[in-house]
Amino acid sequence: NAGVTQTPKFQVLKTGQSMTLQCAQDMNHNSMYWYRQDPGMGLRLIYYSASEGTTDKGEVPNGYNVSRLNKREFSLRLESAAPSQTSVYFCASSERSEGRNSPLHFGNGTRLTVT
Amino acid sequence: AQSVTQLGSHVSVSEGALVLLRCNYSSSVPPYLFWYVQYPNQGLQLLLKYTSAATLVKGINGFEAEFKKSETSFHLTKPSAHMSDAAEYFCAVIYSGGYQKVTFGTGTKLQVIP
């Protein structure tokens, strides 16, 4: 059982380049999330999708766009990368029917460096 | 703004010693509370969560946490540290009104000294 799979694992971009981070889950979860992790700042929510067909902004959405392609897949796009977007990006999912305290299931992250 | 505070970005303990990692939340209404652990180069995984059924919650790997409403705290403990416990630990909360918008603390890195 793969859980939450993120690709790529590592990426180096030049300022201004674009890229899409991919995320897929095989647990049939309704809700999916994108977080970024920076030293000393914990995890901050970028965007989330409560269910297929819906997306909402989180705490730090500027510079990012998302697509909930289907129930399994939730992608994060950087249209014009900036050095401030150097971070580790985590995708997560949870099952809405389990209630509001259902746990998050995380992928192993994408380590992005923007030069 | 509602927040969650973890005191101590780094904690060092000797192998076999008590582990205590602190977490305080900022709400008069108890939120949903969680502890997650992150091993190097991995995503976070759930250690335990508060369900209101009991104030002392047991999790995986011998960890437990006690909910204290009067202190707005949810501290994580383990009686005897093991080398394999070295990791980063995150307290997380969901406040009312924010559907599954999980707010994470800044994390505490636990070092276990042999």
Side-chain angles (χ1 to χ4, degrees):
Chain A
N1 196 347
V4 179
T5 302
Q6 292 184 237
T7 56
K9 288 185 170 55
F10 300 94
Q11 184 71 49
V12 178
L13 291 178
K14 294 187 188 303
T15 298
Q17 288 185 318
S18 62
M19 77 160 296
T20 299
L21 281 66
Q22 307 286 355
C23 174
Q25 52 93 7
D26 62 4
M27 296 172 284
N28 203 35
H29 285 169
N30 285 302
S31 302
M32 297 185 73
Y33 311 80
W34 277 104
Y35 286 89
R36 59 177 289 172
Q37 182 178 26
D38 301 291
M41 303 189 74
L43 277 78
R44 292 179 292 169
L45 182 64
I46 304 171
Y47 271 93
Y48 70 102
S49 171
S51 60
E52 186 179 356
T54 68
T55 60
D56 284 288
K57 295 178 180 179
E59 183 183 355
V60 288
N62 291 344
Y64 306 94
N65 284 300
V66 291
S67 295
R68 183 75 183 265
L69 304 170
N70 47 55
K71 191 171 185 179
R72 290 187 65 248
E73 298 173 287
F74 189 38
S75 63
L76 178 72
R77 183 160 178 83
L78 288 70
E79 290 291 350
S80 178
S84 61
Q85 294 178 304
T86 294
S87 187
V88 182
Y89 291 86
F90 287 99
C91 178
S93 69
S94 66
E95 178 46 49
R96 187 171 183 168
S97 65
E98 292 178 8
R100 294 185 64 211
N101 67 342
S102 58
L104 296 171
H105 299 260
F106 284 86
N108 284 331
T110 294
R111 284 149 184 81
L112 175 67
T113 301
V114 183
T115 61
Chain B
Q2 293 171 323
S3 63
V4 55
T5 302
Q6 290 185 243
L7 281 178
S9 59
H10 290 81
V11 170
S12 294
V13 299
S14 298
E15 192 174 14
L18 171 72
V19 176
L20 170 61
L21 304 182
R22 299 178 186 274
C23 173
N24 288 88
Y25 61 90
S26 62
S27 172
S28 59
V29 176
Y32 296 98
L33 295 155
F34 309 80
W35 276 98
Y36 286 86
V37 60
Q38 184 181 31
Y39 298 103
N41 299 315
Q42 294 186 23
L44 281 70
Q45 50 186 282
L46 182 71
L47 262 184
L48 50 82
K49 66 178 182 180
Y50 174 63
T51 63
S52 77
T55 57
L56 185 63
V57 182
K58 294 190 183 301
I60 61 172
N61 301 336
F63 283 92
E64 58 185 35
E66 186 173 9
F67 171 69
K68 290 187 177 180
K69 185 177 178 181
S70 61
E71 299 177 7
T72 62
S73 69
F74 191 56
H75 301 332
L76 182 71
T77 60
K78 182 174 180 178
S80 176
H82 191 273
M83 295 299 295
S84 61
D85 295 328
E88 190 161 17
Y89 293 80
F90 292 90
C91 183
V93 304
I94 299 175
Y95 290 106
S96 61
Y99 171 74
Q100 287 194 306
K101 283 189 180 179
V102 182
T103 299
F104 285 88
T106 52
T108 298
K109 282 189 177 173
L110 176 66
Q111 179 187 23
V112 182
I113 304 166

